[in-house]
């Protein structure tokens, strides 16, 4: 299983970025795909997920601002981030797990290398 993120960068508050994650090495349709972020001194936080059954969920801090999507066979996962805030600054990881998304971020078995998002005020 391989996950490769792209699309991070630096943006001013209020701006937008779109992250992409290319997934390979597994049958995608029944797998959970999610975005997790971590910034220095803070715990890892799941921001968005597409579960194995196709259901979508968001962390409370990003609801209404972030949108997660995937192509039909889940080979590419996206995260559209709008109205970015300085507190969104973090390393963003694409993660995956077979079937139902885990309850805890530490339970994801497959991680990409991460892409940095920096939001300045």
């Amino acid at each position: 299983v391989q996950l490769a993120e792209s699309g991070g960068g630096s943006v001013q508050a209020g701006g937008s970025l779109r992250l992409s994650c290319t997934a390979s090495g597994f049958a995608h349709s029944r797998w959970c795909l999610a975005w997790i972020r971590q910034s220095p001194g803070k715990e890892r936080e799941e921001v968005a997920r597409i579960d194995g059954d196709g259901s979508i969920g968001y962390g409370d801090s990003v609801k209404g601002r972030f949108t997660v999507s995937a192509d039909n066979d889940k080979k590419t996962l996206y995260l559209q981030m709008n109205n970015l805030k300085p507190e969104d600054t973090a390393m963003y990881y694409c993660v995956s797990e077979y079937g139902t998304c885990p309850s805890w971020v530490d339970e994801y078995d497959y991680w990409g290398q991460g892409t940095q998002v920096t939001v300045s005020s």
Side-chain angles (χ1 to χ4, degrees), residues 34-49:
W35 291 97
I36 288 174
R37 68 185 181 186
Q38 186 167 27
S39 54
K42 295 184 179 180
E43 293 186 354
R44 287 184 285 189
E45 174 189 14
E46 183 178 298
V47 297
R49 60 166 56 178

Side-chain angles (χ1 to χ4, degrees), residues 38-94:
Q38 186 167 27
S39 54
K42 295 184 179 180
E43 293 186 354
R44 287 184 285 189
E45 174 189 14
E46 183 178 298
V47 297
R49 60 166 56 178
I50 300 179
D51 218 318
D53 63 0
S55 58
I56 289 176
Y58 296 96
D60 289 341
S61 63
V62 306
K63 284 180 181 177
R65 301 188 298 121
F66 289 12
T67 302
V68 65
S69 62
D71 57 9
N72 287 339
D73 56 5
K74 288 185 177 177
K75 287 185 178 180
T76 307
L77 180 72
Y78 304 99
L79 184 68
Q80 178 66 44
M81 306 184 293
N82 297 329
N83 190 22
L84 283 160
K85 303 176 180 181
E87 51 263 43
D88 295 317
T89 295
M91 184 71 78
Y92 284 71
Y93 297 92
C94 175

Side-chain angles (χ1 to χ4, degrees), residues 11-22:
V11 64
Q12 289 190 329
S16 298
L17 283 173
R18 189 190 196 204
L19 305 184
S20 299
C21 170
T22 302

Side-chain angles (χ1 to χ4, degrees), residues 1-9 19-24 34-38 44 77 90-96 109-117:
V1 176
Q2 293 182 329
L3 303 168
E5 306 94 335
S6 61
L19 305 184
S20 299
C21 170
T22 302
S24 61
W35 291 97
I36 288 174
R37 68 185 181 186
Q38 186 167 27
R44 287 184 285 189
L77 180 72
M91 184 71 78
Y92 284 71
Y93 297 92
C94 175
V95 298
S96 184
D109 286 330
Y110 304 102
W111 293 68
Q113 81 285 355
T115 186
Q116 177 69 37
V117 171

